[in-house]
Amino acid sequence: MRTAFQRLVKISLVLVYLVIIAGATVRMTGSGMGCPDWPKCFGYYIPPTEEEALQWNARRSFEKGQVIIKNEGLLVANSDFTSSDSFNANNWSAYTKHDYAVFNVWHTWIEYINRLLGALAGLATLALALFSFTLWKKNKKVVLLSWLVVFGMGFQAWLGATVVYSVLEPVKITLHMVMALVIVAMLLYLNHLAASTEENPALPRINMLLIGALALTLIQIVLGTQVRQYVDEQIDVVGEIAKNLWLQNPTVQFYVHRSLSILVLLFNGYLWFIFKKENANRFKINWVIAIIGLEVLTGIAMYYIDFPFGSQPAHLVLASLLFGFQFSLMLDVLMAKTPVKTY
């Protein structure tokens, strides 16, 4: 039972990280409004591939909830009907969530794939929660936490809808990202509970250092989303081609974000030194240092080499991976003296 449950936890964790990667790709390509409605996409479960599908045409069958673009606005069909030779406004209602009405097939399908991965991750966590009932008598905490993950995924889906309805409001994008990390943390904790009992060295004197390192990472992620918002605003002003101007006059958040990266490297480098000195398992701390190195390199590339392709999503995904390894390492140390219950 334990092995099967742990396998489901890992599958769920991988799918959540795939959603984070897809979300980073959505941000890089500017596809956040590729589907202007939610949970459907232009009123379809499978979105169109051509703009013609979103046009009104005479003698065409429309289904209730289907969306068209007319006069630079979105209209929603009130019921199933077949159009006559002339447009009848009584068959339609204006979409009132926002006034964004643009169709770009690439943006639409990138956002749609992001939503599909989110749905798969949701189903995986639901399967995990249902399976957890088999462990109720042995560890109720596992069952309760598994269902908390499901509710977290539901809340994350709701946050995704509010991001769309707000036309990508920065604060809501940040909350969406932070909630993804909360879900990662819960799944890692479940994985820790389900893992076989292993003797981990107790290093109580670095508990606070590990917590501090994780807090620094979270601060950096929040600051990074604010820097990204500034870049998005600059793109609207100078255009996507003028990459050399995106960070020409950055805000104070950028300088704080850049300076803190040095502290993050030194802080975690000191942790690596302690693990080496204590002859502790250095697998995860080695990954932490490697990811920070790659994170610094992608940050340098964005600033000094004018945002090479893929550097933005790589920077975000690396930050989420860094959080995952740090949180898992923290669990190893904080719970080293607490035997992990086996099933």
Side-chain angles (χ1 to χ4, degrees), residues 1-13 128 191 194:
M1 289 294 185
R2 176 186 59 79
T3 303
F5 180 79
Q6 191 176 14
R7 189 179 299 117
L8 280 173
V9 172
K10 291 179 178 179
I11 291 172
S12 298
L13 188 60
L128 176 71
N191 185 64

Side-chain angles (χ1 to χ4, degrees), residues 60-308:
R60 176 185 166 186
S61 295
F62 292 95
E63 296 181 1
K64 183 178 180 180
Q66 195 169 327
V67 176
I68 63 169
I69 299 175
K70 189 171 179 62
N71 298 327
E72 298 183 351
L74 296 177
L75 297 178
V76 184
N78 294 325
S79 60
D80 297 348
F81 69 93
T82 299
S83 59
S84 59
D85 291 331
S86 59
F87 180 79
N88 184 353
N90 293 327
N91 292 324
W92 303 91
S93 295
Y95 188 77
T96 57
K97 297 290 186 180
H98 54 73
D99 58 0
Y100 186 90
V102 177
F103 175 75
N104 179 304
V105 64
W106 293 109
H107 290 176
T108 293
W109 277 84
I110 289 171
E111 169 60 13
Y112 179 68
I113 291 171
N114 177 43
R115 293 188 185 186
L116 277 182
L117 287 171
L120 284 174
L123 290 173
T125 56
L126 178 59
L128 176 71
L130 292 172
F131 188 83
S132 71
F133 281 126
T134 62
L135 308 174
W136 175 258
K137 293 182 179 180
K138 297 179 180 179
N139 195 329
K140 293 179 175 58
K141 183 190 294 187
V142 167
V143 180
L144 295 175
L145 187 57
S146 296
W147 282 100
L148 188 58
V149 170
V150 173
F151 289 122
M153 291 294 290
F155 180 66
Q156 179 74 329
W158 176 80
L159 280 176
T162 63
V163 168
V164 172
Y165 296 152
S166 69
V167 194
L168 311 182
E169 186 178 327
V171 172
K172 293 180 180 178
I173 292 175
T174 300
L175 287 174
H176 197 49
M177 179 63 193
V178 171
M179 188 60 204
L181 296 180
V182 170
I183 292 170
V184 166
M186 289 192 291
L187 286 170
L188 286 171
Y189 185 46
L190 275 173
N191 185 64
H192 187 87
L193 292 175
S196 301
T197 302
E198 294 180 1
E199 288 295 329
N200 292 312
L203 303 172
R205 69 191 184 93
I206 67 168
N207 289 353
M208 295 307 298
L209 289 176
L210 285 167
I211 294 172
L214 189 65
L216 273 176
T217 296
L218 285 172
I219 292 170
Q220 280 290 75
I221 289 172
V222 172
L223 286 171
T225 60
Q226 294 179 11
V227 173
R228 177 57 202 258
Q229 177 58 28
Y230 173 78
V231 170
D232 289 345
E233 293 171 355
Q234 289 299 104
I235 292 173
D236 292 337
V237 174
V238 302
E240 294 187 3
I241 298 178
K243 294 183 177 181
N244 59 311
L245 301 178
W246 290 359
L247 282 174
Q248 187 177 38
N249 298 300
T251 59
V252 66
Q253 286 91 341
F254 167 78
Y255 293 107
V256 175
H257 183 63
R258 185 175 66 177
S259 300
L260 274 181
S261 65
I262 300 173
L263 181 60
V264 168
L265 181 59
L266 293 175
F267 210 98
N268 286 277
Y270 180 60
L271 281 170
W272 180 88
F273 173 77
I274 292 177
F275 271 79
K276 181 181 179 181
K277 184 178 179 181
E278 297 289 343
N279 198 28
N281 188 339
R282 298 199 301 271
F283 174 78
K284 291 178 183 177
I285 193 65
N286 285 343
W287 269 103
V288 166
I289 297 301
I291 292 170
I292 291 174
L294 292 173
E295 189 82 329
V296 170
L297 288 176
T298 54
I300 291 173
M302 286 188 286
Y303 186 69
Y304 291 103
I305 315 178
D306 299 333
F307 294 86

